[in-house]
Amino acid sequence: MSDRINSKTVEGLFAFCDFMVEKGYATTAAMDPWKTAARKVFAAVHGDEFESETLDGIDLDDVLNRFETLTRGQYKHESVVTYGRRVRNAID
């Protein structure tokens, strides 16, 4: 699992969230919203192969702006802001 976490990819981010739950550092209720937000954002911007996208040196502002543009009309503005905050928290 540590190889996946250290990969600095979206898949590694998901593995980190799972690790946090498995080791008792966070609850599923805390980690699932982060994973859902990351899945929605990165899938919209990078397509079906989003899990292999690297997070190393990512311009998250650009990704979130692209997400907002690509999904305009699908989500309320408040939801887009919430997804952005959750993705930032997960990556941090």
Side-chain angles (χ1 to χ4, degrees), residues 4 8-9 15-16 19-21 26 28 39 49-50 54 56-57 67 71 73 80 82-84 90 92:
R4 286 181 36 216
K8 298 182 181 180
T9 62
F16 171 74
F19 169 83
M20 295 291 285
V21 171
T28 301
R39 185 172 287 108
E49 302 298 318
F50 71 92
T54 184
D56 196 25
F67 170 71
T71 61
V80 171
T82 299
Y83 290 152
D92 286 345

Side-chain angles (χ1 to χ4, degrees), residues 26-64:
T27 63
T28 301
M31 294 293 102
D32 279 353
W34 286 8
K35 290 170 64 176
T36 299
R39 185 172 287 108
K40 288 181 185 280
V41 168
F42 290 109
V45 174
H46 296 292
D48 292 337
E49 302 298 318
F50 71 92
E51 287 190 14
S52 63
E53 288 296 319
T54 184
L55 300 175
D56 196 25
I58 189 172
D59 182 348
L60 192 53
D61 290 330
D62 178 61
V63 170
L64 294 173

Side-chain angles (χ1 to χ4, degrees), residues 72-84:
R72 191 163 282 136
Q74 293 178 14
Y75 302 107
K76 291 189 277 182
H77 176 71
E78 295 81 10
S79 297
V80 171
V81 170
T82 299
Y83 290 152

